[in-house]
Amino acid sequence: MELLENLSQITNPDLDLKSITILGIRFGDSTGSIPSELITEGPNNGWLQTNKGITIRISEKEPSKIIEFILKPELLGDLKITKKKRIEKRFGKTVAIEHQNGFTYYFYEHQKLIIGWNNSIDTLSGIYIGENVIKQTELRIKDFLDKFYEFKAMVPNHNEWNAKSLKYNKPRFYLLKELESLMRAFEIGNDLLHDFQNRKFLEKRSIEDFRPIIDDIEKYATRTKFEKERRESEVENWTDVNQFEMLIQSFMRFSEEMRSILSFNSGWLSASSVVSRYSIYKTQKILDHFDLRELDEIESLLCNLLDPNDTVFTKSELVKNFGFPDVDLPSINMDNY
């Protein structure tokens, strides 16, 4: 069954992708099945361009296997989708809608289907069929840390860590809202300054939440006789969460300052002079030789304390359940650059 002969088939929620062809090609076929006269470009990063308004993706694991097709806008006129609201009328209720870098994507994961909408020109951007390369955004506790350090660099004044102070600065306002949503999702608290920066979230942690850190301390203590003896004399105090507050403060500060150092040259958009490029060269040579394994380990211990279950949330879950702002923050950042 050739899909392009009756495009409305794609709106059928029970459509079996194994039963269809696109340009006479089936999912799982080899690239050798594509008539050479159709190919205009590629493969580039696994993509083949054709002269029929179709882009074809090849598997990275099986380099000759076809796993995804993109139907470009010029093929989609028969669907008569001229407004966003018609997408769900034609395809049914989506499992998730997400704004990414100027586009809105409607995820129909059960059907292995994604509908793309170009927000800048307010029209369909394409339909992705198969093993979709576009995925829903997933956020873990590490993403919270990344966003927190980014926010601190943008808003160093703690007195401005509130919606009222930032309401006229959209990038900072929405980043704060993202952080507050993630705090609720990961049960860290509600107030970024009080509950996280000032570490009040530790009051809600049990001693078992510190087990990975305690185990790592005990591993360290076996290094020398002196540390082993001290460990044996102090271990009874390790049932008190408060014993670890200074350690967590130290780890958080070290993590933040190391990230700041590592991004030392990130502010350069371009360097026009030899002197500027020399400065970047000399400093970056040092940064490139940093062994980041220990920093990764410290941050891993922090993340384990913040979220022992290594929970993963999709952005759509956060929007629905925890008040995550349903906006395209990268696009907002670009608009305000």
Side-chain angles (χ1 to χ4, degrees):
M1 181 171 61
E2 174 58 40
L3 181 65
L4 298 182
E5 292 178 357
N6 182 9
L7 192 57
S8 64
Q9 298 172 90
I10 203 173
T11 65
N12 179 1
D14 298 318
L15 178 66
D16 181 2
L17 296 186
K18 294 179 182 179
S19 70
I20 67 170
T21 61
I22 298 175
L23 299 177
I25 305 163
R26 295 184 182 276
F27 288 98
D29 281 357
S30 71
T31 52
S33 65
I34 308 173
S36 59
E37 64 270 17
L38 294 182
I39 301 173
T40 59
E41 186 180 339
N44 294 324
N45 298 317
W47 294 97
L48 289 167
Q49 304 294 331
T50 76
N51 55 15
K52 298 295 184 179
I54 303 286
T55 301
I56 301 170
R57 187 162 75 93
I58 306 164
S59 170
E60 293 180 5
K61 296 179 180 179
E62 301 177 68
S64 64
K65 182 180 178 181
I66 296 168
I67 58 174
E68 185 175 16
F69 295 88
I70 303 177
L71 311 185
K72 295 183 179 179
E74 56 263 34
L75 298 177
L76 306 177
D78 288 348
L79 294 177
K80 295 182 171 54
I81 299 175
T82 56
K83 297 181 179 180
K84 273 186 182 181
K85 64 182 181 181
R86 288 200 53 82
I87 292 175
E88 289 191 276
K89 288 183 178 179
R90 292 288 278 145
F91 287 88
K93 184 68 175 176
T94 180
V95 298
I97 301 173
E98 190 171 320
H99 312 293
Q100 297 181 13
N101 301 310
F103 294 83
T104 300
Y105 295 104
Y106 294 72
F107 292 87
Y108 294 86
E109 293 173 343
H110 175 69
Q111 295 134 274
K112 294 188 175 181
L113 195 70
I114 295 175
I115 317 300
W117 187 270
N118 187 326
N119 295 316
S120 63
I121 56 177
D122 202 28
T123 188
L124 282 171
S125 62
I127 296 180
Y128 301 73
I129 313 171
E131 297 182 23
N132 304 129
V133 68
I134 297 173
K135 306 291 184 185
Q136 288 193 62
T137 300
E138 294 182 339
L139 294 108
R140 295 170 169 80
I141 194 64
K142 181 69 160 52
D143 298 295
F144 169 78
L145 274 183
D146 292 342
K147 290 176 181 292
F148 174 68
Y149 294 136
E150 179 186 358
F151 180 79
K152 283 196 73 175
M154 293 171 66
V155 191
N157 183 354
H158 293 172
N159 293 327
E160 295 180 356
W161 289 17
N162 59 80
K164 183 178 180 180
S165 297
L166 302 178
K167 64 180 179 179
Y168 297 113
N169 187 311
K170 288 185 178 180
R172 298 179 184 185
F173 174 83
Y174 285 122
L175 184 52
L176 174 64
K177 289 300 179 184
E178 287 187 354
L179 286 165
E180 291 175 342
S181 168
L182 290 168
M183 287 180 68
R184 290 190 290 272
F186 290 111
E187 299 182 354
I188 298 171
N190 294 294
D191 185 272
L192 189 62
L193 177 60
H194 180 268
D195 293 320
F196 187 66
Q197 173 68 22
N198 294 342
R199 300 172 303 284
K200 294 301 180 182
F201 73 91
L202 293 175
E203 297 175 358
K204 298 180 181 179
R205 295 297 186 265
S206 70
I207 196 63
E208 281 306 307
D209 293 328
F210 287 85
R211 180 54 53 190
I213 293 176
I214 293 172
D215 290 345
D216 203 47
I217 294 172
E218 291 183 338
K219 180 180 177 182
Y220 158 80
T222 62
R223 292 160 55 95
T224 66
K225 180 181 178 181
F226 173 78
E227 294 290 15
K228 188 175 181 179
E229 290 174 349
R230 290 301 300 267
R231 176 260 181 199
E232 291 172 353
S233 67
E234 295 175 4
V235 71
E236 291 183 0
N237 296 327
W238 291 4
T239 59
D240 183 2
V241 168
N242 294 324
Q243 291 287 321
F244 299 98
E245 183 171 357
M246 291 298 293
L247 172 64
I248 301 306
Q249 180 183 14
S250 174
F251 278 0
M252 289 174 63
R253 180 183 173 190
F254 182 81
S255 171
E256 180 182 356
E257 293 192 2
M258 279 297 299
R259 284 168 175 252
S260 178
I261 292 171
L262 291 168
S263 63
F264 182 81
N265 288 317
S266 63
W268 292 93
L269 293 178
S270 63
S272 58
S273 70
V274 173
V275 173
S276 298
R277 290 191 293 274
Y278 167 76
S279 171
I280 296 171
Y281 167 75
K282 293 295 285 185
T283 54
Q284 195 62 42
K285 275 184 66 177
I286 297 173
L287 297 176
D288 288 344
H289 285 84
F290 278 12
D291 185 344
L292 301 180
R293 287 175 294 183
E294 292 296 333
L295 175 62
D296 291 341
E297 188 171 330
I298 285 174
E299 292 192 347
S300 177
L301 289 168
L302 280 174
C303 288
N304 195 285
L305 173 63
L306 289 166
D307 178 33
N309 299 318
D310 192 25
T311 314
V312 180
F313 293 100
T314 64
K315 181 178 176 181
S316 61
E317 287 177 310
L318 292 167
V319 170
K320 180 180 179 181
N321 300 319
F322 299 101
F324 198 88
D326 189 16
V327 298
D328 186 354
L329 188 53
S331 293
I332 290 173
N333 285 331
M334 288 298 295
D335 291 342
N336 287 268
Y337 183 74

